[in-house]
Amino acid sequence: MKSPVFITSLQSSHSVLIPLEIAKSFITNNQKRVIIEISFKDTHIKFHAALLKRKEQFYVMFSQRKQKQLGVLPNDYFNIQLLEDTSKYGVEMSEELEAVLQSDPEASDIFESLTAGMKRSLIYYVLQFKNSQTKIDKALIITENLKLGIRDKKQLIKKL
């Protein structure tokens, strides 16, 4: 499932308005998580997002970091398309975190029992690091803390 390409601009400093007819086609198919493709001039980015609703309008978050990466300024118009998100977690899993979870079935079972939002939060946390070894180290800390019964995100990411 994918939407037609449409032209839009920033709704606020960190969000983009999605036309009602496009948002409804995803929402009625129970697709609240989507992949966003945005192109501006010769630059193109793709990222996972949630369709959010406020006062009968739908929007997606579009961080200032992504805006800078694309070269978009507040008054610019750009092309956007929504695609069905078929990923397991609503975000691409870090290879390092996936490998650590595969090597530790107990931690993997606990990870799978977490809420979808908590799983995404932990995946995003690991993905923020560029160095593969750092990602592995962070994934190991998370899995050890999960096995210790820690469920608070702030505590999960701390080395004990």
Side-chain angles (χ1 to χ4, degrees), residues 12-48:
S12 68
S13 63
H14 58 275
S15 66
V16 173
L17 189 65
I18 304 299
L20 188 59
E21 63 277 3
I22 290 175
K24 280 192 173 185
S25 67
F26 284 87
I27 297 297
T28 56
N29 286 313
N30 204 28
Q31 292 289 317
K32 293 180 182 176
R33 301 283 312 168
V34 294
I35 296 174
I36 305 293
E37 288 188 352
I38 298 179
S39 58
F40 179 69
K41 297 183 179 177
D42 293 330
T43 310
H44 175 86
I45 62 169
K46 189 175 183 177
F47 58 93
H48 294 262

Side-chain angles (χ1 to χ4, degrees), residues 8-12 15-24 27 50-61 82:
T8 192
S9 63
L10 294 170
Q11 175 188 8
S12 68
S15 66
V16 173
L17 189 65
I18 304 299
L20 188 59
E21 63 277 3
I22 290 175
K24 280 192 173 185
I27 297 297
L51 276 172
L52 304 168
K53 184 177 182 181
R54 183 182 330 128
K55 297 181 182 175
E56 300 305 313
Q57 291 187 322
F58 288 91
Y59 64 98
V60 293
M61 301 305 290
L82 279 64

Side-chain angles (χ1 to χ4, degrees), residues 13-138:
S13 63
H14 58 275
S15 66
V16 173
L17 189 65
I18 304 299
L20 188 59
E21 63 277 3
I22 290 175
K24 280 192 173 185
S25 67
F26 284 87
I27 297 297
T28 56
N29 286 313
N30 204 28
Q31 292 289 317
K32 293 180 182 176
R33 301 283 312 168
V34 294
I35 296 174
I36 305 293
E37 288 188 352
I38 298 179
S39 58
F40 179 69
K41 297 183 179 177
D42 293 330
T43 310
H44 175 86
I45 62 169
K46 189 175 183 177
F47 58 93
H48 294 262
L51 276 172
L52 304 168
K53 184 177 182 181
R54 183 182 330 128
K55 297 181 182 175
E56 300 305 313
Q57 291 187 322
F58 288 91
Y59 64 98
V60 293
M61 301 305 290
F62 185 32
S63 70
Q64 290 183 341
R65 183 178 59 82
K66 287 183 177 76
Q67 292 172 37
K68 186 176 179 181
Q69 181 182 352
L70 195 60
V72 171
L73 297 174
N75 295 326
D76 288 332
Y77 286 87
F78 44 87
N79 293 321
I80 183 170
Q81 183 174 34
L82 279 64
L83 305 160
E84 179 180 0
D85 186 348
T86 58
S87 65
K88 181 176 180 180
Y89 301 108
V91 64
E92 292 303 318
M93 171 63 99
S94 151
E95 290 178 23
E96 294 83 357
L97 179 56
E98 185 172 28
V100 169
L101 289 170
Q102 286 177 352
S103 70
D104 190 336
E106 180 186 357
S108 180
D109 288 345
I110 297 168
F111 181 82
E112 291 301 329
S113 74
L114 299 173
T115 65
M118 177 62 94
K119 289 181 226 178
R120 279 192 299 277
S121 182
L122 293 172
I123 293 168
Y124 278 125
Y125 172 73
V126 173
L127 284 172
Q128 76 179 339
F129 300 98
K130 295 191 186 322
N131 182 292
S132 184
Q133 185 58 52
T134 303
K135 290 180 184 182
I136 292 168
D137 294 343
K138 298 300 181 183

